[in-house]
Amino acid sequence: KSEANSEFNGTLDIASRGAAMPDFAFQDTAGRTLRSAELKGRPVLINLWATWCGPCVLEMPMLDAMAGKYAGKLRVVTISQDMGQADKVKALFAQKKFAHLETWLDPENQLGFHYNTGMLPTSVLYDAQGREVWRMIGAHDWAGARTTTLLADTLGA
C-alpha cells in the first residue's frame, strides 16, 4: 500500500440502507437552486466536503473523474460544508479545473447534521428511487477497483 492510499481509509456503512433521501434544497455559487427531489431518477452520490478538509480536497479529483466515467448513469453531487464561504469553494474549483463537479453549498450544514457521521468527507450513494444504498465515512479511493464493485449493483454495471 502506498502512502497516498493510507489517506483513503473510509468506512463503509450500510446501517441506513433503504432510507429515503432527505428533502433539502441547496444553492450553487451562481445562486441556482437544487432540490433533492430533482436528483431522483438515476443513482446519485452525495459527497459532503469542505475546503479546509485535506482528505476531502485530495479525493475531489477522483470524484470528478468518476463523474465523467459514469456520466448519464451516476450523478456525483459535491456539497460544501464551508459555512458561508462560497468564494473559497469557487476558487478551489477554478484552481483544480474540475470538469464534472458542481459547486453546491450547504452553509447551514443541514446535511452534516442529517447524516450525523461526525466526519468529512462523507459520501452517500442513493439508488434511482432515492433510497440510500451505503455511506462512505471518511476519504475513499474513488478510482480504485473497490469503487467499481461498490457501484456495480446500483449502476447495473
Side-chain angles (χ1 to χ4, degrees):
K1 219 176 187 184
S2 73
E3 278 185 45
N5 282 347
S6 67
E7 295 285 336
F8 305 111
N9 55 1
T11 302
L12 185 67
D13 178 359
I14 59 168
S16 299
R17 184 178 296 227
M21 185 184 301
D23 183 20
F24 288 120
F26 304 99
Q27 289 198 314
D28 67 7
T29 56
R32 292 177 305 159
T33 298
L34 172 70
R35 299 193 185 288
S36 53
E38 296 170 42
L39 296 173
K40 292 180 184 166
R42 73 173 155 170
V44 63
L45 182 77
I46 292 179
N47 169 264
L48 304 187
W49 71 286
T51 57
W52 47 261
C53 165
C56 298
V57 174
L58 277 176
E59 73 174 10
M60 295 291 277
M62 289 182 284
L63 285 167
D64 186 52
M66 186 176 76
K69 177 180 177 180
Y70 294 110
K73 286 186 167 188
L74 174 71
R75 183 166 180 184
V76 178
V77 178
T78 55
I79 303 176
S80 167
Q81 301 296 289
D82 288 272
M83 304 195 56
Q85 306 209 7
D87 53 335
K88 286 188 176 181
V89 173
K90 208 172 187 174
L92 180 80
F93 271 63
Q95 176 198 352
K96 301 287 187 182
K97 296 180 174 60
F98 296 132
H100 307 284
L101 300 179
E102 304 160 45
T103 56
W104 298 108
L105 309 169
D106 180 15
E108 295 169 14
N109 300 126
Q110 295 178 72
L111 279 180
F113 289 119
H114 173 79
Y115 293 128
N116 196 27
T117 65
M119 183 179 285
L120 289 179
T122 289
S123 301
V124 184
L125 180 69
Y126 290 96
D127 64 18
Q129 289 73 45
R131 291 185 308 254
E132 185 169 326
V133 179
W134 48 254
R135 296 177 185 191
M136 185 61 66
I137 302 169
H140 177 69
D141 178 2
W142 297 104
R146 184 176 181 214
T147 299
T148 305
T149 302
L150 287 170
L151 294 173
D153 283 348
T154 305
L155 300 185

